[in-house]
Amino acid sequence: MTNSDTFDAVVVGGGPAGATAATDLARRGRRVLLLDRPGRIKPCGGAIPPKAIEEFEIPDSQLVAKISSARMVAPSDRHVDMPIDGGFVGMVDREPFDEWLRERAAGAGAERRHGTFTKLTRDTDGTALIHYRPAESADRNEDIAVRAKAVIGADGAMSAVAKQCIPGAKELPHVAAYHEIVRSPAPTSGKGLHDFEPSRCDVYYQGKLSPDFYAWIFPHGETTSIGVGTELKGFSLHDAVDQLRKETGLDQCETLRREGAPIPLHPLPKWDNGQDVVLAGDAAGVVAPASGEGIYYALVGGRLAGEAVEELLVTGQAKALAMARKRFMKQHGRVFWILGIMQKFWYKSDKRRERFVSLCDDPDIQHLTWQAYMHKKLVKAKPAAHVRIFFKDMAHLLGVVSPWRKKAAAADSEATRLPSS
């Protein structure tokens, strides 16, 4: 290897996390290689909050829809509509959106290559050697290797970089997700439970569709994502999506593509190898429990990984890499912890799912949920609302109220602050 083969950073994976890290480092003048496997589209609802749009400079042209409400559907088919007061949730289609992020990285100066990471070894001086198989030679055993002063593993929930380099990564628990992208039907607002409203996301908390997570219908403008997730092995995701499409009449829509992938449930306890490798995005496990929200947290994780690598390159101190996880958990760890508890409790049975959806009818919960989701911070402006929610939650958990009572008792505001996405 020669110095010309050495990159300041090799980013493995070109999703939101990897592309953001590559963009930020390239803008700092670093020599960056963005290595991505072509043709891989993650199954994703596609929701991004205004905070992500503002913080990561996402142009309006990338939004295929703007959602103004969500509908939560209980096992009994009773439902709650949650309108967004004075805001919206942006929707993206991951195929063109991820490519736009990669092109932005290239425009900032990162070098793009199509290929699949195979292994990491060491050159004679200890520098990391990243081996990959170019897309054009996928049918031949011809690997290429480049030197990297630092490596960012952003190659998904089953990250090959993480499995090889990070202790404990092989045990990362995950939800299996599957969705079908269909051509959107004409709007049928006001037609009942299963009407189609292009500015509304529908979330189904029904054990028949998902025994431990949820199913969804998310409009993407000209297309719509219909999907489901579960951690239960042996449960047929395809059958669940088929059933949801039949019940909603979306089985009559043209199917454009089908996608499936694992979604991690918890952040890994360690994101770096203490030397020159750090993880970001799904590879680090940063998908919010209960809600399944991942795009915003991937963008944040990619930025923090880029900052950690930059600090490593400037100081030569490997401990800088640990700051990516430390900073992320300081900002978002509490929310992840609360949502993890929420998922384990409320998604356990249809009886609890029924009660959970009834909680969403509460105005205090709706306001605090949307405010916290859109702005990604705790809502402290209405302490009285938090107090009311606390006592409603206690009443609900003690069984002194029943689901669907008018202004139903509510769960802890922090356990219901993020809508599914």
Side-chain angles (χ1 to χ4, degrees), residues 347-365:
Y347 295 5
K348 191 173 183 179
S349 67
D350 271 356
K351 182 178 180 180
R352 290 187 182 181
R353 293 186 192 97
E354 191 78 28
R355 191 175 292 270
F356 168 69
V357 174
S358 76
L359 301 178
C360 298
D361 201 28
D362 185 276
D364 288 330
I365 284 183

Side-chain angles (χ1 to χ4, degrees), residues 117-140:
F117 168 84
T118 56
K119 62 183 177 180
L120 184 152
T121 61
R122 298 284 169 184
D123 208 344
T124 54
D125 62 354
T127 301
L129 287 173
I130 301 302
H131 300 254
Y132 70 93
R133 187 156 302 162
E136 59 270 18
S137 63
D139 57 341
R140 301 190 301 272

